[in-house]
């Protein structure tokens, strides 16, 4: 089983390769959870995530004969970029299989680092099947995103930095997909700082670990429907699972709403741009993981977010935070009625962002029109005020 000596050896390999990412105190999250919270900013790592650490260690330890055959990987984006960048540094050829709906910026970055990208399947698990077939057919070495001792050791180097940067750390919160990052952190801390509590976080819509840990062996996630594609993994890896289960690591789940609110808070208060999976630790803090002993370090695992996804997530986060309201209002289909509605909204201080007409709603009267209006608000209390004001003005409306 991977241990502290393996992680320290990996750190020596990564010297001058991976950046020592900064930690940043988050006053906002500290207030939320009642303990001092630091953010470990792996979103600022080279290639935009922690994945370079494990990929480089794995690939640097290949024999000359293996390196000559090239490497192959499967990833939704972060491991893809880590493998592609590591291959360029080591002078290796790389082929990466990515899901067909992978984020375009992640695809483009992987290609820019010099890897050949093949788009296949609907998930990382399906892409991994193709990657394994390619490895068997060509002799290329499969660089698994999480299920290998060298990868786990490489990811564990983050724990060495955390202990140096926050010497009195008491709790570390880690996003979990396949488990490589969490396993590496646990492997290092179990010997270096056994007093530190490690909490793993999964997206509730892609959560294989809670049931797997309860069963005592890896079992598939019941669904993979989350915006957090970086941790949308169908089955825990056997190598990380052994480490996490043997150390009885607890795993919490967060909702899509939790993730979107965390992304919004990190952007607004911490000035950190992260992807949904990278915000999982912050989401857990905001959702309330129970009493925590501080200082707490939340790992922001990646920052490679598709701008289109960012736009949707920010909108969703605004709605979850009570700062965005979508209403359907029925008004008379007469001149001036829409102007009156907009005037009523203006009186509340809400900022109208979009207006559309619907005349084909099934139960509309002949002289009615349904107006769908999107309003920017100042929070939950302001939302309630807007709704109350419109109802008192006689408007028939539904929230949504």
């Amino acid at each position: 089983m991977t241990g502290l000596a393996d992680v320290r050896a990996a750190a020596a390999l990564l010297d001058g390769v991976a950046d020592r990412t900064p930690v940043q105190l988050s006053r906002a999250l500290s207030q939320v959870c009642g303990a001092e919270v630091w953010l470990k900013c792996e979103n600022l790592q080279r290639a935009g995530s922690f994945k370079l650490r494990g990929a480089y260690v794995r690939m640097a330890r290949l024999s000359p004969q293996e390196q000559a055959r090239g490497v192959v990987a499967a990833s939704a984006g972060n491991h893809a970029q880590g493998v592609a960048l590591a291959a360029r540094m080591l002078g290796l050829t790389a082929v990466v299989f990515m899901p067909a709906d992978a984020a375009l910026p992640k695809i483009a970055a992987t290609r820019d680092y010099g890897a050949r990208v093949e788009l296949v399947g609907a998930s990382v698990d399906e892409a991994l099947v193709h990657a394994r077939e390619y490895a068997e057919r060509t002799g290329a070495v499969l660089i698994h995103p999480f299920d290998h001792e060298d990868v786990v050791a490489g990811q564990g180097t983050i724990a060495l930095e955390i202990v140096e940067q926050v010497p009195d750390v008491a709790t570390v919160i880690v996003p979990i997909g396949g488990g490589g990052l969490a396993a590496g952190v646990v492997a290092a801390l179990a010997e270096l700082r056994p007093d530190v509590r490690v909490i793993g976080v999964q997206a509730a819509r892609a959560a294989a670990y809670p049931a797997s840990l309860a069963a005592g062996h890896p079992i598939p996630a019941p669904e993979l429907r989350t915006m957090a594609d970086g941790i949308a993994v169908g089955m825990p890896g056997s190598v990380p699972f052994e480490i996490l289960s043997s150390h009885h690591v607890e795993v919490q789940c967060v909702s899509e709403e939790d993730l979107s609110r965390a992304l919004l808070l990190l952007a607004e208060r911490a000035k950190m741009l992260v992807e949904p999976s990278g915000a999982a630790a912050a989401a857990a803090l905001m959702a309330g993981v129970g009493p925590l002993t501080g200082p707490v370090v939340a790992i922001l695992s990646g920052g490679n977010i598709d701008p289109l996804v960012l736009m949707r997530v920010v909108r969703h986060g605004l709605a979850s935070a009570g700062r965005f309201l979508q209403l359907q209002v029925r008004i008379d289909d007469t001149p001036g009625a829409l102007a009156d509605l907009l005037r009523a909204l203006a009186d509340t201080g809400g900022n109208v962002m979009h207006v559309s007409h619907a005349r084909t709603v099934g139960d509309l009267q002949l002289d009615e029109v349904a107006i769908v209006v999107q309003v920017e608000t100042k929070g939950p209390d302001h939302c309630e005020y807007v709704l109350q004001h419109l109802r008192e003005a006689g408007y028939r409306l539904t929230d949504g």
Side-chain angles (χ1 to χ4, degrees):
M1 191 181 296
T2 303
L4 179 59
D6 302 298
V7 175
R8 283 178 167 155
L13 267 179
L14 290 170
D15 186 26
V17 173
D19 291 339
R20 178 188 172 93
T21 53
V23 295
Q24 175 178 305
L25 179 66
S26 173
R27 299 190 187 281
L29 287 173
S30 298
Q31 291 173 357
V32 167
C33 69
E36 185 179 285
V37 175
W38 293 84
L39 305 175
K40 177 59 171 170
C41 303
E42 281 295 293
N43 58 309
L44 303 180
Q45 183 57 262
R46 298 181 69 176
S49 84
F50 71 96
K51 288 290 191 176
L52 173 65
R53 297 174 183 263
Y56 185 89
V57 172
R58 171 78 172 103
M59 293 158 65
R61 288 177 172 167
L62 296 177
S63 69
Q65 294 78 14
E66 290 173 320
Q67 291 187 348
R69 300 202 305 265
V71 298
V72 60
S75 167
N78 287 342
H79 181 61
Q81 291 174 75
V83 167
L85 178 56
R88 190 176 75 179
M89 293 170 140
L90 293 165
L92 312 182
T93 60
V95 176
V96 180
F97 289 85
M98 302 179 73
D101 62 349
L104 293 179
K106 293 183 179 181
I107 296 170
T110 303
R111 286 174 172 155
D112 286 345
Y113 287 131
R116 191 177 96 228
V117 174
E118 299 286 346
L119 300 177
V120 295
S123 68
V124 175
D125 296 87
E126 291 182 21
L128 191 55
V129 171
H130 289 271
R132 286 196 173 103
E133 290 174 351
Y134 179 89
E136 292 173 2
R137 187 173 69 252
T138 66
V141 179
L142 176 67
I143 307 301
H144 199 282
F146 50 82
D147 205 12
H148 193 279
E149 293 83 355
D150 289 339
V151 173
V152 169
Q155 320 303 28
T157 58
I158 293 175
L160 303 182
E161 295 176 14
I162 288 174
V163 169
E164 292 175 357
Q165 293 168 317
V166 188
D168 54 346
V169 59
T171 307
V172 176
I173 304 184
V174 194
I176 293 185
L181 173 59
V185 169
V186 168
L189 293 178
E191 297 180 59
L192 185 63
R193 285 287 306 278
D195 57 306
V196 174
R197 177 187 180 192
V198 179
I199 302 173
V201 183
Q202 289 208 289
R205 290 185 174 180
Y209 263 94
S212 296
L213 291 170
H217 58 85
I219 60 176
E223 61 177 334
L224 291 175
R225 297 189 304 115
T226 175
M227 69 177 80
D229 62 338
I231 53 174
V233 177
M235 179 81 80
S238 58
V239 172
F241 181 82
E242 181 182 4
I243 295 171
L244 296 177
S245 60
S246 66
H247 288 92
H248 307 290
V249 173
E250 57 191 293
V251 178
Q252 305 276 348
C253 292
V254 292
S255 68
E256 301 300 286
E257 288 73 21
D258 295 332
L259 290 166
S260 62
R261 284 195 294 267
L263 279 168
L264 196 60
L265 179 137
L266 290 169
E268 287 189 325
R269 301 296 299 275
K271 313 305 180 223
M272 285 290 166
L273 183 63
V274 298
E275 59 193 279
S277 57
L285 289 173
M286 294 178 68
V289 293
L292 294 175
T293 302
V296 177
V297 174
I299 298 178
L300 307 184
S301 56
N304 295 313
I305 186 167
D306 184 339
L308 293 176
V309 173
L310 177 62
M311 182 172 63
R312 294 197 297 269
V313 167
V314 167
R315 176 177 165 179
H316 188 79
L318 289 171
S320 297
R323 292 171 52 190
F324 182 86
L325 191 61
Q326 180 165 295
L327 306 169
Q328 185 179 115
V329 187
R330 296 189 177 199
I331 62 174
D332 294 334
D333 193 7
T334 58
L338 177 58
D340 290 341
L341 171 62
L342 296 179
R343 192 174 299 110
L345 284 167
D347 290 342
T348 69
N351 180 33
V352 176
M353 302 171 65
H354 181 76
V355 177
S356 63
H357 291 68
R359 287 187 167 85
T360 57
V361 178
D363 58 348
L364 275 176
Q365 299 298 316
L366 184 63
D367 59 350
E368 285 184 327
V369 61
I371 303 297
V372 178
V373 57
Q374 296 171 357
V375 184
E376 182 183 6
T377 62
K378 301 172 184 176
D381 291 342
H382 190 207
C383 284
E384 285 301 317
Y385 172 71
V386 171
L387 295 171
Q388 180 181 349
H389 181 81
L390 292 178
R391 290 189 181 110
E392 289 177 352
Y395 287 102
R396 292 164 293 166
L397 54 91
T398 57
D399 182 2

